[in-house]
Amino acid sequence: MQTRTLGRSGLEVSALGLGCMGMSFSYGPPQDRPEMITLIRAAVERGVTFFDTAEVYGPFTNEELVGEALTPVRDKVVIATKFGFALDPSGKQMWSGLDSRPEQIKRVADASLKRLRTDRIDLFYQHRVDPNVPIEDVAGAVKDLIRAGKVKHFGLSEAGVQTIRRAHAVQPITAVQSEYSLWWRRPETELIPTLEELGIGFVPYSPLGKGFLTGRFGTDAKFASNDFRSTLPRFSPEALAANQALVELIGRIAARKKATPAQIALAWLLAKKPWIVPIPGTTKLSRLEENIGAVKVALSPADLAEIEKAATQITVHGDRYPEHLEKMTGL
Protein backbone atom coordinates (compact mmCIF):
# COMPACT_ATOMS: atom_id res chain seq x y z
CA MET A 1 0.00 0.00 0.00
CA GLN A 2 1.28 3.44 -0.89
CA THR A 3 1.26 6.17 1.74
CA ARG A 4 0.38 9.84 1.64
CA THR A 5 0.92 12.80 3.95
CA LEU A 6 -2.09 14.90 4.89
CA GLY A 7 -1.06 18.39 3.86
CA ARG A 8 1.97 19.87 5.60
CA SER A 9 1.11 18.24 8.92
CA GLY A 10 3.50 15.33 8.67
CA LEU A 11 0.66 12.86 9.39
CA GLU A 12 1.39 9.90 7.11
CA VAL A 13 -1.39 7.45 6.31
CA SER A 14 -2.19 4.79 3.74
CA ALA A 15 -3.31 6.20 0.37
CA LEU A 16 -6.76 4.77 1.05
CA GLY A 17 -8.34 4.70 4.48
CA LEU A 18 -11.30 2.68 5.71
CA GLY A 19 -14.56 4.35 6.66
CA CYS A 20 -16.09 2.23 9.41
CA MET A 21 -19.51 3.89 9.82
CA GLY A 22 -21.48 1.36 7.79
CA MET A 23 -20.35 -1.47 10.04
CA SER A 24 -22.55 -0.13 12.83
CA PHE A 25 -25.34 1.93 11.31
CA SER A 26 -26.75 3.98 8.42
CA TYR A 27 -26.80 1.28 5.72
CA GLY A 28 -29.17 -1.16 7.38
CA PRO A 29 -28.84 -3.14 10.62
CA PRO A 30 -25.48 -3.34 12.43
CA GLN A 31 -23.17 -5.98 11.04
CA ASP A 32 -21.89 -8.96 13.00
CA ARG A 33 -19.29 -7.57 15.41
CA PRO A 34 -16.73 -10.43 15.21
CA GLU A 35 -16.94 -10.35 11.42
CA MET A 36 -16.31 -6.60 11.36
CA ILE A 37 -13.35 -6.96 13.73
CA THR A 38 -11.94 -9.54 11.35
CA LEU A 39 -12.53 -7.19 8.41
CA ILE A 40 -10.78 -4.24 10.08
CA ARG A 41 -7.80 -6.43 10.94
CA ALA A 42 -7.76 -7.74 7.37
CA ALA A 43 -7.47 -4.14 6.21
CA VAL A 44 -4.45 -3.65 8.47
CA GLU A 45 -2.87 -6.81 7.07
CA ARG A 46 -3.31 -5.38 3.56
CA GLY A 47 -1.60 -2.11 4.41
CA VAL A 48 -4.46 0.17 5.45
CA THR A 49 -3.35 2.38 8.34
CA PHE A 50 -6.10 5.05 8.42
CA PHE A 51 -9.44 4.29 10.09
CA ASP A 52 -12.41 6.62 10.40
CA THR A 53 -15.12 6.51 13.05
CA ALA A 54 -17.22 8.89 15.19
CA GLU A 55 -19.11 8.90 18.46
CA VAL A 56 -22.38 9.41 16.58
CA TYR A 57 -21.95 6.19 14.59
CA GLY A 58 -24.16 3.80 16.45
CA PRO A 59 -24.15 6.00 18.53
CA PHE A 60 -21.00 4.98 20.41
CA THR A 61 -20.83 1.37 19.19
CA ASN A 62 -18.66 2.06 16.16
CA GLU A 63 -15.88 3.55 18.26
CA GLU A 64 -16.04 0.52 20.55
CA LEU A 65 -15.78 -1.77 17.53
CA VAL A 66 -12.84 0.10 16.04
CA GLY A 67 -11.11 0.25 19.40
CA GLU A 68 -11.37 -3.47 19.98
CA ALA A 69 -10.26 -4.31 16.45
CA LEU A 70 -7.20 -2.06 16.46
CA THR A 71 -5.93 -2.53 20.02
CA PRO A 72 -3.39 -5.22 18.97
CA VAL A 73 -1.89 -2.91 16.31
CA ARG A 74 -2.55 0.49 17.88
CA ASP A 75 0.91 1.90 17.27
CA LYS A 76 0.79 0.98 13.58
CA VAL A 77 -2.45 2.80 12.71
CA VAL A 78 -4.03 6.25 12.66
CA ILE A 79 -7.50 6.57 14.18
CA ALA A 80 -9.76 9.49 13.32
CA THR A 81 -12.94 10.19 15.26
CA LYS A 82 -15.32 13.12 15.58
CA PHE A 83 -17.23 15.35 17.99
CA GLY A 84 -19.98 17.89 17.52
CA PHE A 85 -23.40 16.27 17.78
CA ALA A 86 -25.69 16.41 20.79
CA LEU A 87 -26.40 12.76 21.53
CA ASP A 88 -28.95 10.91 23.57
CA PRO A 89 -26.89 9.17 26.32
CA SER A 90 -29.23 6.18 26.13
CA GLY A 91 -28.22 5.68 22.51
CA LYS A 92 -31.86 5.47 21.41
CA GLN A 93 -31.46 8.10 18.72
CA MET A 94 -28.60 9.19 16.52
CA TRP A 95 -28.51 12.88 17.50
CA SER A 96 -30.73 15.77 18.55
CA GLY A 97 -28.70 18.74 17.33
CA LEU A 98 -25.20 20.17 17.42
CA ASP A 99 -22.99 20.79 20.44
CA SER A 100 -19.40 21.98 20.10
CA ARG A 101 -19.10 23.85 23.38
CA PRO A 102 -15.49 23.57 24.59
CA GLU A 103 -16.48 21.67 27.72
CA GLN A 104 -18.49 19.23 25.61
CA ILE A 105 -15.58 18.69 23.19
CA LYS A 106 -13.37 17.73 26.12
CA ARG A 107 -16.00 15.38 27.53
CA VAL A 108 -16.36 13.70 24.15
CA ALA A 109 -12.59 13.29 23.85
CA ASP A 110 -12.37 11.51 27.19
CA ALA A 111 -15.31 9.24 26.37
CA SER A 112 -13.94 8.45 22.90
CA LEU A 113 -10.54 7.57 24.34
CA LYS A 114 -12.19 4.98 26.57
CA ARG A 115 -14.26 3.48 23.79
CA LEU A 116 -11.28 3.39 21.45
CA ARG A 117 -9.09 1.80 24.15
CA THR A 118 -6.29 4.25 23.53
CA ASP A 119 -4.45 7.13 25.16
CA ARG A 120 -4.62 9.48 22.17
CA ILE A 121 -6.86 10.37 19.25
CA ASP A 122 -4.71 10.77 16.16
CA LEU A 123 -7.14 13.02 14.28
CA PHE A 124 -10.10 14.72 15.99
CA TYR A 125 -12.66 16.28 13.64
CA GLN A 126 -15.49 18.64 14.36
CA HIS A 127 -18.23 16.61 12.66
CA ARG A 128 -20.36 19.60 11.65
CA VAL A 129 -19.84 23.29 12.30
CA ASP A 130 -21.92 24.50 15.26
CA PRO A 131 -23.35 27.96 14.45
CA ASN A 132 -23.80 28.66 18.16
CA VAL A 133 -20.12 28.27 19.07
CA PRO A 134 -17.38 30.46 17.55
CA ILE A 135 -14.99 28.28 15.59
CA GLU A 136 -12.12 29.95 17.43
CA ASP A 137 -13.46 28.47 20.67
CA VAL A 138 -13.68 25.04 19.05
CA ALA A 139 -10.12 25.26 17.76
CA GLY A 140 -8.96 26.49 21.17
CA ALA A 141 -10.55 23.51 22.92
CA VAL A 142 -8.83 21.08 20.56
CA LYS A 143 -5.57 23.00 21.04
CA ASP A 144 -5.91 22.34 24.78
CA LEU A 145 -6.45 18.63 24.10
CA ILE A 146 -3.37 18.55 21.89
CA ARG A 147 -1.30 20.21 24.61
CA ALA A 148 -2.61 17.61 27.06
CA GLY A 149 -1.50 14.80 24.74
CA LYS A 150 -5.02 13.45 24.27
CA VAL A 151 -5.25 14.53 20.62
CA LYS A 152 -2.54 14.66 17.97
CA HIS A 153 -4.20 16.48 15.06
CA PHE A 154 -7.23 18.73 14.47
CA GLY A 155 -9.71 18.38 11.63
CA LEU A 156 -12.99 19.80 10.36
CA SER A 157 -15.77 18.11 8.42
CA GLU A 158 -18.04 19.80 5.87
CA ALA A 159 -16.77 23.26 6.83
CA GLY A 160 -16.75 26.32 4.60
CA VAL A 161 -13.52 28.02 3.61
CA GLN A 162 -13.90 31.05 5.90
CA THR A 163 -14.52 28.76 8.87
CA ILE A 164 -11.44 26.76 7.91
CA ARG A 165 -9.29 29.89 7.75
CA ARG A 166 -10.49 31.14 11.14
CA ALA A 167 -9.94 27.78 12.83
CA HIS A 168 -6.55 27.26 11.18
CA ALA A 169 -5.34 30.59 12.59
CA VAL A 170 -5.94 29.30 16.14
CA GLN A 171 -4.88 25.67 15.76
CA PRO A 172 -3.39 24.37 12.50
CA ILE A 173 -5.78 22.00 10.76
CA THR A 174 -4.34 18.73 9.51
CA ALA A 175 -7.28 17.55 7.40
CA VAL A 176 -10.73 18.50 6.23
CA GLN A 177 -13.22 15.74 5.56
CA SER A 178 -16.05 16.41 3.12
CA GLU A 179 -18.00 14.49 0.54
CA TYR A 180 -16.23 14.40 -2.81
CA SER A 181 -16.62 12.10 -5.78
CA LEU A 182 -17.44 12.15 -9.45
CA TRP A 183 -21.06 12.89 -8.57
CA TRP A 184 -20.39 15.56 -5.92
CA ARG A 185 -17.72 17.96 -7.13
CA ARG A 186 -18.54 21.18 -5.31
CA PRO A 187 -15.31 21.01 -3.24
CA GLU A 188 -13.39 21.80 -6.43
CA THR A 189 -14.73 25.37 -6.53
CA GLU A 190 -13.34 26.83 -3.31
CA LEU A 191 -12.46 24.11 -0.83
CA ILE A 192 -9.63 22.29 -2.61
CA PRO A 193 -7.80 25.49 -3.66
CA THR A 194 -8.03 26.75 -0.07
CA LEU A 195 -6.68 23.50 1.36
CA GLU A 196 -3.80 23.57 -1.11
CA GLU A 197 -2.99 27.16 -0.13
CA LEU A 198 -3.02 26.38 3.58
CA GLY A 199 -1.29 22.99 3.38
CA ILE A 200 -4.25 21.01 4.71
CA GLY A 201 -5.01 17.42 3.67
CA PHE A 202 -8.34 16.40 2.18
CA VAL A 203 -10.22 13.24 3.19
CA PRO A 204 -13.17 12.58 0.87
CA TYR A 205 -15.98 10.57 2.42
CA SER A 206 -18.53 8.73 0.24
CA PRO A 207 -15.92 8.56 -2.55
CA LEU A 208 -18.07 5.92 -4.25
CA GLY A 209 -21.26 7.97 -4.02
CA LYS A 210 -22.65 5.81 -1.20
CA GLY A 211 -22.28 2.83 -3.51
CA PHE A 212 -23.89 4.35 -6.59
CA LEU A 213 -20.68 4.79 -8.58
CA THR A 214 -19.89 1.08 -8.30
CA GLY A 215 -22.74 0.35 -10.71
CA ARG A 216 -24.60 -1.83 -8.21
CA PHE A 217 -27.80 0.21 -8.23
CA GLY A 218 -30.02 0.23 -11.27
CA THR A 219 -33.18 2.23 -11.79
CA ASP A 220 -35.23 -0.31 -9.82
CA ALA A 221 -33.02 -0.32 -6.69
CA LYS A 222 -34.89 -0.47 -3.39
CA PHE A 223 -33.60 0.59 0.02
CA ALA A 224 -34.88 -0.59 3.40
CA SER A 225 -36.33 1.98 5.79
CA ASN A 226 -33.27 1.66 8.05
CA ASP A 227 -30.95 2.37 5.11
CA PHE A 228 -30.01 6.06 5.13
CA ARG A 229 -30.14 6.15 1.33
CA SER A 230 -33.91 5.70 1.43
CA THR A 231 -34.14 9.32 2.65
CA LEU A 232 -31.77 10.85 0.08
CA PRO A 233 -33.20 12.65 -2.98
CA ARG A 234 -30.29 11.41 -5.09
CA PHE A 235 -31.43 7.82 -4.53
CA SER A 236 -35.03 8.35 -5.60
CA PRO A 237 -36.07 6.17 -8.57
CA GLU A 238 -36.12 9.21 -10.86
CA ALA A 239 -32.64 10.35 -9.85
CA LEU A 240 -31.21 6.83 -10.06
CA ALA A 241 -32.49 6.56 -13.63
CA ALA A 242 -31.19 9.98 -14.64
CA ASN A 243 -27.76 9.43 -13.09
CA GLN A 244 -27.00 6.15 -14.84
CA ALA A 245 -25.11 8.13 -17.48
CA LEU A 246 -22.35 8.76 -14.96
CA VAL A 247 -22.14 5.06 -14.10
CA GLU A 248 -21.94 4.23 -17.79
CA LEU A 249 -19.05 6.67 -18.23
CA ILE A 250 -17.10 5.11 -15.38
CA GLY A 251 -17.92 1.65 -16.68
CA ARG A 252 -16.47 2.43 -20.11
CA ILE A 253 -13.20 3.63 -18.60
CA ALA A 254 -13.11 0.63 -16.26
CA ALA A 255 -13.51 -1.85 -19.12
CA ARG A 256 -10.64 -0.27 -21.01
CA LYS A 257 -8.36 -0.19 -17.96
CA LYS A 258 -9.32 -3.75 -16.92
CA ALA A 259 -10.52 -2.39 -13.59
CA THR A 260 -13.85 -2.12 -11.83
CA PRO A 261 -16.01 1.03 -11.73
CA ALA A 262 -15.23 1.42 -8.02
CA GLN A 263 -11.50 1.32 -8.74
CA ILE A 264 -11.84 4.00 -11.43
CA ALA A 265 -13.85 6.27 -9.14
CA LEU A 266 -11.20 5.95 -6.42
CA ALA A 267 -8.26 6.23 -8.83
CA TRP A 268 -9.76 9.47 -10.16
CA LEU A 269 -9.72 10.93 -6.66
CA LEU A 270 -6.18 9.73 -5.99
CA ALA A 271 -5.03 11.35 -9.22
CA LYS A 272 -6.47 14.74 -8.26
CA LYS A 273 -3.96 15.70 -5.56
CA PRO A 274 -1.19 13.81 -3.71
CA TRP A 275 -2.66 14.93 -0.38
CA ILE A 276 -6.14 13.50 -0.99
CA VAL A 277 -6.92 10.31 0.97
CA PRO A 278 -10.36 8.78 0.27
CA ILE A 279 -12.02 6.65 2.94
CA PRO A 280 -14.38 4.20 1.21
CA GLY A 281 -16.42 2.09 3.58
CA THR A 282 -17.39 -1.54 3.21
CA THR A 283 -18.53 -4.52 5.24
CA LYS A 284 -17.22 -7.15 2.81
CA LEU A 285 -13.68 -8.46 2.37
CA SER A 286 -14.10 -8.73 -1.41
CA ARG A 287 -15.03 -5.04 -1.63
CA LEU A 288 -12.16 -4.10 0.66
CA GLU A 289 -9.70 -5.85 -1.63
CA GLU A 290 -11.34 -4.34 -4.70
CA ASN A 291 -11.04 -0.83 -3.25
CA ILE A 292 -7.42 -1.34 -2.25
CA GLY A 293 -6.73 -2.39 -5.84
CA ALA A 294 -7.55 1.17 -6.94
CA VAL A 295 -4.14 2.29 -5.71
CA LYS A 296 -2.56 0.31 -8.56
CA VAL A 297 -4.83 1.77 -11.26
CA ALA A 298 -2.94 4.48 -13.11
CA LEU A 299 -5.06 7.04 -14.95
CA SER A 300 -3.07 8.87 -17.62
CA PRO A 301 -3.55 12.57 -18.38
CA ALA A 302 -5.52 11.44 -21.44
CA ASP A 303 -7.77 9.24 -19.26
CA LEU A 304 -8.37 12.10 -16.86
CA ALA A 305 -9.10 14.52 -19.67
CA GLU A 306 -11.59 12.07 -21.17
CA ILE A 307 -13.37 11.63 -17.85
CA GLU A 308 -13.43 15.37 -17.29
CA LYS A 309 -14.84 16.15 -20.71
CA ALA A 310 -17.54 13.51 -20.48
CA ALA A 311 -18.45 14.26 -16.86
CA THR A 312 -18.99 17.96 -17.57
CA GLN A 313 -21.65 17.00 -20.08
CA ILE A 314 -23.60 14.99 -17.50
CA THR A 315 -25.99 16.75 -15.12
CA VAL A 316 -26.32 14.91 -11.83
CA HIS A 317 -29.92 14.83 -10.66
CA GLY A 318 -31.21 15.00 -7.09
CA ASP A 319 -29.94 16.80 -4.01
CA ARG A 320 -27.37 14.84 -2.02
CA TYR A 321 -29.20 15.38 1.30
CA PRO A 322 -32.67 16.46 2.44
CA GLU A 323 -32.79 20.22 3.04
CA HIS A 324 -32.49 20.06 6.85
CA LEU A 325 -29.25 18.06 6.60
CA GLU A 326 -27.76 20.08 3.76
CA LYS A 327 -28.14 23.20 5.91
CA MET A 328 -25.69 21.64 8.38
CA THR A 329 -22.86 21.75 5.84
CA GLY A 330 -20.70 24.69 4.91
CA LEU A 331 -20.17 23.91 1.24
Side-chain angles (χ1 to χ4, degrees):
M1 171 68 77
Q2 301 169 12
T3 60
R4 294 187 164 200
T5 301
L6 290 171
R8 291 195 287 266
S9 68
L11 182 60
E12 186 175 310
V13 297
S14 50
L16 282 178
L18 180 61
C20 298
M21 179 185 75
M23 299 177 184
S24 300
F25 96 127
S26 193
Y27 296 117
Q31 300 295 305
D32 180 78
R33 186 182 179 101
E35 288 182 8
M36 293 303 98
I37 289 173
T38 298
L39 180 66
I40 291 171
R41 291 176 179 172
V44 175
E45 292 168 359
R46 287 158 177 77
V48 176
T49 64
F50 189 31
F51 295 85
D52 185 89
T53 183
E55 63 158 359
V56 74
Y57 300 161
F60 311 123
T61 55
N62 196 246
E63 284 185 324
E64 293 169 349
L65 167 68
V66 170
E68 181 177 350
L70 294 178
T71 293
V73 291
R74 180 63 186 95
D75 292 336
K76 299 179 181 179
V77 298
V78 171
I79 298 176
T81 193
K82 310 177 192 75
F83 64 86
F85 282 99
L87 302 181
D88 175 3
S90 71
K92 293 180 180 178
Q93 61 181 3
M94 176 179 163
W95 52 273
S96 58
L98 298 172
D99 187 354
S100 280
R101 293 170 299 153
E103 61 270 27
Q104 173 66 5
I105 294 171
K106 293 174 182 179
R107 280 196 294 266
V108 171
D110 287 338
S112 291
L113 286 167
K114 290 179 181 177
R115 287 190 290 268
L116 291 168
R117 305 186 186 188
T118 185
D119 61 353
R120 79 279 186 193
I121 296 166
D122 297 305
L123 178 55
F124 205 29
Y125 293 106
Q126 183 187 38
H127 210 152
R128 291 292 185 273
V129 175
D130 186 342
N132 297 316
V133 180
I135 196 64
E136 291 82 1
D137 293 352
V138 173
V142 177
K143 189 182 191 79
D144 290 343
L145 289 167
I146 291 172
R147 286 173 173 166
K150 295 180 179 181
V151 169
K152 296 299 183 183
H153 296 269
F154 176 36
L156 296 178
S157 179
E158 290 282 351
V161 295
Q162 294 308 314
T163 299
I164 291 168
R165 290 183 184 279
R166 288 166 53 198
H168 191 66
V170 175
Q171 170 60 44
I173 296 170
T174 292
V176 167
Q177 179 179 135
S178 293
E179 183 169 357
Y180 182 40
S181 71
L182 270 167
W183 83 337
W184 180 253
R185 299 183 63 178
R186 189 175 295 177
E188 295 173 356
T189 306
E190 291 186 323
L191 179 61
I192 290 177
T194 300
L195 299 183
E196 186 154 39
E197 173 197 340
L198 298 176
I200 298 171
F202 188 30
V203 179
Y205 74 81
S206 296
L208 299 176
K210 298 177 174 63
F212 179 76
L213 298 179
T214 66
R216 290 191 294 131
F217 302 119
T219 57
D220 58 349
K222 305 293 183 185
F223 301 95
S225 60
N226 58 1
D227 187 319
F228 181 53
R229 289 169 293 198
S230 67
T231 69
L232 303 182
R234 197 162 284 191
F235 282 87
S236 69
E238 298 78 15
L240 286 172
N243 293 329
Q244 290 301 315
L246 189 56
V247 173
E248 292 166 3
L249 163 63
I250 297 171
R252 289 196 299 273
I253 303 293
R256 192 172 73 233
K257 304 294 287 189
K258 293 182 172 54
T260 68
Q263 289 171 339
I264 296 300
L266 293 171
W268 177 81
L269 283 170
L270 292 168
K272 281 293 187 179
K273 298 289 181 182
W275 38 267
I276 287 179
V277 180
I279 50 168
T282 187
T283 59
K284 297 179 176 63
L285 179 60
S286 61
R287 295 296 184 188
L288 171 69
E289 293 179 333
E290 177 185 354
N291 293 343
I292 290 172
V295 176
K296 297 181 180 179
V297 176
L299 295 177
S300 68
D303 294 328
L304 294 170
E306 179 184 349
I307 293 171
E308 189 70 26
K309 181 179 179 180
T312 56
Q313 297 172 4
I314 296 172
T315 299
V316 176
H317 292 255
D319 294 333
R320 65 171 183 154
Y321 290 128
E323 185 178 1
H324 72 286
L325 292 180
E326 193 63 63
K327 285 180 178 178
M328 295 173 67
T329 70
L331 297 181

